Amino acid sequence: MAQTATAPNRDLLGIRARFGTARGLVRLLLAEAEHRAGRLAEFHAIDWKRVDRLVFVCAGNICRSPYGERRARMSGLPAASLGLSTHCGQPANQWAAMTARKRGVDLSGHASCDTASFEFRDGDLLLGMEVRHVREMRRRFGGLPCQIGLLGLWSTPRRAHIHDPFSLDAAYFDTCFAVIDSAVEGLARRMGARGGDV
């Protein structure tokens, strides 16, 4: 009885549609607190003159990062994507592909790529979706000539945590991809402002 009574309240708050889960909201609040305390500054202080390619990074490389890659390419930006915990050759998640299609982005033909198979380049800007992603990348790839950024810091409004939509409500897939769209727009403006060709 109590569970039935609390479900409408959760829906009224819009947690599932706006943040994915209660955990997604908590992680966003924690990430925002870290940002305000200055602990994420290194993931926003990018030397744009060194950026030649945007590399979108998430866990499985089947939802968030392939969408970011395709959206960036549609904006005329050189882009790639990979997963920190995946196997090569996985197609995009079916719900991600359906939501992307509604937003004018085609994820057909996508095949996931793991870190062992990915070809890192000088000038890559590795863009994580979550604070734990960027810290893991710093640990694993700190010796590479790549910069590391937190994607949501370029969205409007800022969103320091872009929660994984895998297996969540269709409405949250749309929210998630809207944040990625906004961040890609912010990155496109920043890269265009540096002068010269992208």
Side-chain angles (χ1 to χ4, degrees), residues 142-154:
L144 296 177
C146 303
Q147 297 183 83
I148 299 171
L150 188 58
L151 180 63
L153 297 183
W154 283 276

Side-chain angles (χ1 to χ4, degrees), residues 38-109:
R39 291 196 290 269
L40 303 180
E42 67 180 286
F43 304 118
H44 194 246
I46 304 301
D47 180 356
W48 293 99
K49 293 178 183 176
R50 292 175 47 209
V51 178
D52 295 322
R53 181 174 67 163
L54 304 177
V55 180
F56 295 84
V57 182
C58 66
N61 193 216
I62 58 171
C63 295
R64 294 169 290 180
S65 56
Y67 182 81
E69 175 189 358
R70 295 291 172 92
R71 179 58 82 186
R73 288 179 180 273
M74 289 173 64
S75 299
L77 302 171
S81 66
L82 65 92
L84 293 171
S85 179
T86 193
H87 301 288
C88 286
Q90 303 286 329
N93 170 269
Q94 64 174 347
W95 291 105
M98 288 171 52
T99 305
R101 194 176 309 115
K102 291 178 193 173
R103 302 180 71 84
V105 177
D106 183 8
L107 295 185
S108 64

Side-chain angles (χ1 to χ4, degrees), residues 5 15 29 31-32 38 66-67 95 105 128 132-133 138 140 142 162 181 189 192 194:
I15 288 175
L29 294 173
E32 287 294 335
Y67 182 81
W95 291 105
V105 177
R132 60 183 175 167
H133 293 164
R138 182 177 59 188
R140 287 201 214 176
I162 304 175
D181 282 348
R189 285 193 299 270
R194 68 185 181 171

